[in-house]
Amino acid sequence: MALAALVPGALLGWVVYEAVGGGGSDHAASAASASGASAAPSSHSSPSTDSAAPPGSGGASAGDGKDTAGGSGPLAGKVVVIDPGHNQGNFEHATEINQQVDIGTNRKECDTTGTSTDAGYTEARFTLDVAHRLRALLEKQGATVKMTRDGDSPAWGPCVDQRARFGNTARADAAISIHADGAAQGDRGFHVILPGSVHAGAADTRKIVGPSRDLGTRIAGDFLRDTGEPPSNYVGKGTGLVTRTDLGGLNLSTVPKVFIECGNMRDSKDSALLTSGAWRQKAAQGMSDGIVSFLRES
């Protein structure tokens, strides 16, 4: 599909590709399962472009129930939950993250370590950095922002069911879980994961499927525009959108929520972008633009 056609307006008419997987990770893929590579931290030094969070992005620790500063901008009164995927501490807490939790349709691991670039820049670090940047942008728009984890808190996890409940308890107007994929070299591009219709056990997504699709479509369009990253060439049939019913973070959500896989950390072209602080700022901007668009019209 021609990139010029994938503008936000056209995205609203995309046909969503149903891709219900059964992987162990609570997102599209992990490095260990998708590429056979180890997901353990590398001894290589992390890229110098892994800059600190932008000024003014400080806020509440994960799960402490405190709001970050909501202002008087266009999103005043709106609550956004940001869920940075995985946790750097998961590498040292294998027993805890391997415990099974109920995701409605079945039971699944509490969490996984996530993937990393070949040079050892972990998904957990990437997602937290982008989350900080996104938080700062949303706060400038007046939103109250909460994060499921921040800094070293909690030490591992949270489990995928806890991440979903965090957004539910916060009564979020929108929630986004940030990830990066771990597929094979040559597989590249972003995709936004939408919740499918699930009504089983503790899961009932029927009320959020529509608004979540709207949220995800807007984020996909703005992410493409702001970053120039193409839609995934290995899932989603070029649309940049995938629907799944095997993810606890989506199945158990009662608020509009999507996942975004920002790129493939195991692909050399994508990893060059993901390890760039300047590009991560563009990624945060794309997410912010999509969330702002959704909230201003919801």
Side-chain angles (χ1 to χ4, degrees):
M1 183 178 295
L3 294 185
L6 301 184
V7 295
L11 281 160
L12 294 174
W14 278 356
V15 176
V16 178
Y17 174 60
E18 183 74 15
V20 178
S25 171
D26 198 46
H27 64 111
S30 67
S33 62
S35 67
S38 171
S42 167
S43 59
H44 295 289
S45 61
S46 298
S48 60
T49 49
D50 182 26
S51 57
S57 66
S61 298
D64 65 6
K66 297 178 182 178
D67 297 345
T68 55
S72 57
L75 296 189
K78 298 291 187 179
V79 176
V80 179
V81 165
I82 304 174
D83 177 30
H86 310 289
N87 190 320
Q88 192 74 3
N90 286 358
F91 292 100
E92 299 176 352
H93 292 87
T95 300
E96 290 88 346
I97 68 169
N98 283 326
Q99 63 184 298
Q100 298 285 301
V101 297
D102 182 11
I103 67 166
T105 52
N106 60 293
R107 297 185 70 81
K108 205 167 186 179
E109 292 90 344
C110 157
D111 202 2
T112 67
T113 58
T115 186
S116 68
T117 66
D118 291 340
Y121 180 54
T122 64
E123 181 182 2
R125 288 184 62 186
F126 167 82
T127 62
L128 187 60
D129 180 80
V130 175
H132 285 157
R133 296 170 187 271
L134 176 57
R135 178 170 65 185
L137 291 169
L138 292 172
E139 287 178 347
K140 288 180 180 178
Q141 296 289 323
T144 293
V145 181
K146 298 186 177 184
M147 291 175 57
T148 60
R149 70 176 182 92
D150 194 9
D152 296 326
S153 178
W156 55 270
C159 294
V160 297
D161 56 337
Q162 295 172 313
R163 292 173 187 261
R165 283 197 295 270
F166 189 96
N168 300 343
T169 300
R171 298 182 179 180
D173 295 288
I176 183 169
S177 187
I178 302 172
H179 290 268
D181 216 347
Q185 169 68 30
D187 291 345
R188 64 171 310 220
F190 79 92
H191 61 279
V192 177
I193 305 175
L194 314 175
S197 182
V198 175
H199 185 209
D204 187 355
T205 63
R206 292 174 294 178
K207 291 183 179 180
I208 69 163
V209 166
S212 295
R213 179 173 299 183
D214 183 21
L215 172 64
T217 300
R218 292 173 188 272
I219 290 173
D222 288 325
F223 191 86
L224 170 64
R225 182 196 66 203
D226 290 345
T227 66
E229 174 76 344
S232 170
N233 63 7
Y234 58 99
V235 293
K237 295 183 177 179
T239 66
L241 297 175
V242 175
T243 299
R244 291 178 63 172
T245 59
D246 65 318
L247 302 179
L250 295 179
N251 286 359
L252 301 175
S253 181
T254 59
V255 300
K257 184 176 182 180
V258 299
F259 279 38
I260 183 167
E261 297 284 356
C262 297
N264 176 17
M265 300 194 96
R266 293 294 181 172
D267 175 76
S268 57
K269 292 182 179 179
D270 272 3
S271 65
L273 299 176
L274 297 167
T275 54
S276 163
W279 187 87
R280 291 196 299 274
Q281 187 64 33
K282 293 178 182 179
Q285 188 67 60
M287 295 176 207
S288 175
D289 288 346
I291 292 170
V292 170
S293 173
F294 172 76
L295 293 179
R296 294 186 73 170
E297 296 190 25
S298 63

